């Protein structure tokens, strides 16, 4: 591999088996989207991200708009917070369509970055809650 992969380079999840693999990982719920995260145990590889918008959230035009907004938010800011060797799937909720873009960016960035810390704190502070 002659190309150096920077911190902001984010790959894409494209096939169904890749999405199903991530589904078995950690889930981080939020008001705008659900974030599924799974460690591939390959820290030298770039993170990969996939986007899911179900048909219950509107017609094709609205679903594509939601997907485009999420992709742009990852490209501009959230990609920097993603850990190498991890896969992420963003499952959109209907509110993604009308949320201010800055709010969407901040929410995505926080969900990626703070999910790891929350998991550690919960396990020591409240062992029965998950």
């Amino acid at each position: 591999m002659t190309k150096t992969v920077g911190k902001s380079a984010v790959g894409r999840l494209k096939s169904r088996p890749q999405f199903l693999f991530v589904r078995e990982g950690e889930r981080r719920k939020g008001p705008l989207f659900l974030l599924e995260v799974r460690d591939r145990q390959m820290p030298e590889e770039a993170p990969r991200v996939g986007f899911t918008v179900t048909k219950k959230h509107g017609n094709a035009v609205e679903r594509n708009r939601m997907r485009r907004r999420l992709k742009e938010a990852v490209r501009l800011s959230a990609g920097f917070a993603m850990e190498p060797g991890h896969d992420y799937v963003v499952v959109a909720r209907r509110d993604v369509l009308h949320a201010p873009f800055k709010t969407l960016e901040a929410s995505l960035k926080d969900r990626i970055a703070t999910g790891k810390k929350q998991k550690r704190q919960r396990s020591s502070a409240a062992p029965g809650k998950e």
Side-chain angles (χ1 to χ4, degrees), residues 70-96:
L70 288 169
K71 284 181 183 179
E72 188 66 6
V74 167
R75 186 184 74 81
L76 291 177
S77 63
F80 298 103
M82 292 181 173
E83 287 190 51
H86 284 67
D87 286 345
Y88 299 85
V89 173
V90 182
V91 182
R93 300 195 197 284
R94 180 80 180 165
D95 295 338
V96 165

Side-chain angles (χ1 to χ4, degrees):
M1 185 188 267
T2 58
K3 183 179 168 184
T4 58
V5 178
K7 181 80 170 147
S8 64
V10 178
R12 290 288 310 275
L13 296 174
K14 296 180 182 175
S15 68
R16 181 168 168 78
Q18 291 173 335
F19 279 83
L20 293 177
F21 174 78
V22 178
R23 187 176 222 174
E24 298 170 5
E26 178 186 351
R27 299 178 132 205
R28 303 174 188 172
K29 297 178 183 178
L32 300 175
F33 53 85
L34 166 69
L35 183 67
E36 298 172 333
V37 182
R38 182 134 186 217
D39 187 357
R40 287 181 285 149
Q41 305 296 324
M42 299 178 184
E44 67 282 349
E45 292 188 15
R48 298 184 303 185
V49 65
F51 302 91
T52 301
V53 184
T54 62
K55 286 188 175 182
K56 71 180 180 181
H57 292 307
N59 62 22
V61 173
E62 292 171 329
R63 293 193 312 268
N64 286 334
R65 187 177 300 138
M66 286 186 252
R67 194 174 295 113
R68 283 193 309 267
R69 294 187 87 209
L70 288 169
K71 284 181 183 179
E72 188 66 6
V74 167
R75 186 184 74 81
L76 291 177
S77 63
F80 298 103
M82 292 181 173
E83 287 190 51
H86 284 67
D87 286 345
Y88 299 85
V89 173
V90 182
V91 182
R93 300 195 197 284
R94 180 80 180 165
D95 295 338
V96 165
L97 195 57
H98 302 292
F101 190 74
K102 289 292 182 189
T103 304
L104 179 61
E105 272 185 310
S107 179
L108 192 55
K109 197 180 205 179
D110 289 344
R111 185 71 51 219
I112 290 169
T114 61
K116 299 170 287 205
K117 295 174 188 169
Q118 287 176 352
K119 184 179 176 186
R120 288 186 201 129
Q121 290 173 350
R122 279 190 201 145
S123 62
S124 61
K129 278 193 169 181
E130 289 260 316

